[in-house]
Amino acid sequence: MAALCMVLLLGPSAPSGGAPRAGLPAPDSAEAVVADRVGTWNICNPCGGSRHNFGRATEIATYAPQVIGLQEACVRDVEQIRTYLEEVYGLVYRVEYGMVLRNWNRCGGLPWRPGGFGQAILSAAPMTDRVSVEYPDGGSEDRGYLAVTTLVGGRPVRVFNTHLAQRRQEEVRAGQVKVLAVEVARHDHAIVLGDFNAVPHAPELGPMWALASDTDPGCSPSTSSADACMATTDWNSKFDYVFLRGVTPRTHHVRPSPYSDHHLLYTDLNRG
């Protein structure tokens, strides 16, 4: 009854217009977060906008990662997703933002106080040492990365979340990856989440591959076959990554979703 009341109070952006698909958990059925699980998801805002936030929260609750990085996220949507996660599924996530735009058309708000748009990290454990960086050249739209230190699998790790320039801007992405790689290299244990807008063998990803490996066992910088990597988008390309440095994966999962044109990607890590 409490969950039903919450859905009603939160209005039309709850299940109506964005009901979760069959097989996802019912309210109050989600278990505790999985301590060694990390995920990444470009929620494609607006791509359905706030009417999909209940479904997005339900997807996250289904897999319950300790940490998940969201891209193309509006602050108001992330807050609503967090509310559903806590009030409907009993999952409490802290949040840090790496907003690179203030845009009324994209994120709503008042014309003189537009909503923030960019990256967000949700973590079940406290986060410290937040750094939000906007790339010197964002390409056709401002882009950046967000970094925090938090616990994954019971140990501290530096977590990065980024969204690189759009597809036909290889040179811009190359510059962005160089900026990101310099910071990742400073840490012996790092997890880099995000939408890189590039396939695994794209030359601009070279600096990342030199520092870390992706959790997809079929993917490497030498991968040229479209069938070797699990696609993470509706157009059958792998653009989304969980890069690991000093951390090893145990599993790799890609879950298509009706709430974005990107798939939710998550991985379970080895401990110790």
Side-chain angles (χ1 to χ4, degrees):
M1 179 62 70
L4 177 59
C5 291
M6 189 63 198
V7 167
L8 293 174
L9 286 171
L10 287 173
S13 58
S16 60
R21 67 181 187 270
L24 296 184
D28 299 325
S29 66
E31 298 178 356
V33 296
V34 181
D36 54 4
R37 179 170 293 171
V38 297
T40 184
W41 195 14
N42 182 325
I43 61 175
C44 188
N45 187 285
C47 286
S50 61
R51 70 188 181 91
H52 282 339
N53 286 339
F54 182 79
R56 290 165 176 158
T58 304
E59 295 271 6
I60 294 171
T62 301
Y63 311 113
Q66 172 80 7
V67 172
I68 185 167
L70 303 177
Q71 303 89 42
E72 292 203 61
C74 290
V75 170
R76 62 169 54 197
D77 288 332
V78 175
E79 289 304 312
Q80 192 172 59
I81 289 168
R82 289 179 67 221
T83 297
Y84 288 134
L85 284 167
E86 180 173 0
E87 300 296 339
V88 179
Y89 295 109
L91 299 177
V92 179
Y93 283 97
R94 298 161 175 85
V95 64
E96 291 289 355
Y97 294 103
M99 296 298 140
V100 294
L101 288 173
R102 296 285 172 180
N103 191 298
W104 180 80
N105 287 329
R106 189 190 292 269
C107 291
L110 300 172
W112 57 89
R113 191 180 179 185
F117 174 82
Q119 288 73 243
I121 294 176
L122 303 183
S123 174
M127 292 175 277
T128 61
D129 304 318
R130 171 192 171 274
V131 173
S132 180
V133 173
E134 187 172 330
Y135 293 123
D137 184 357
S140 58
E141 182 178 80
D142 294 347
R143 296 290 162 91
Y145 74 82
L146 170 67
V148 301
T149 298
T150 190
L151 294 178
V152 179
R155 69 175 179 181
V157 64
R158 192 67 170 165
V159 177
F160 294 81
N161 182 23
T162 193
H163 186 196
L164 301 189
Q166 295 173 352
R167 279 181 280 182
R168 294 178 180 85
Q169 301 176 70
E170 293 85 354
E171 292 185 3
V172 175
R173 286 197 301 275
Q176 294 170 347
V177 171
K178 289 178 182 178
V179 171
L180 177 63
V182 167
E183 293 306 310
V184 174
R186 297 177 57 240
H187 302 275
D188 293 331
H189 300 93
I191 300 171
V192 186
L193 311 169
D195 173 5
F196 284 72
N197 268 317
V199 294
H201 63 279
E204 62 265 30
L205 295 190
M208 280 306 308
W209 287 114
L211 292 171
S213 59
D214 182 57
T215 62
D216 186 340
C219 275
S220 72
S222 61
T223 299
S224 59
S225 170
D227 297 329
C229 301
M230 295 181 68
T232 66
T233 65
D234 286 353
W235 55 93
N236 296 318
S237 293
K238 177 176 171 63
F239 278 6
D240 305 271
Y241 297 81
V242 175
F243 281 112
L244 302 179
R245 175 174 169 84
V247 185
T248 57
R250 192 172 74 251
T251 65
H252 175 80
H253 306 273
V254 177
R255 302 299 187 215
S257 168
Y259 309 114
S260 174
D261 61 356
H262 286 252
H263 307 338
L264 192 155
L265 165 62
Y266 73 91
T267 186
D268 295 333
L269 307 175
N270 288 318
R271 300 193 183 191

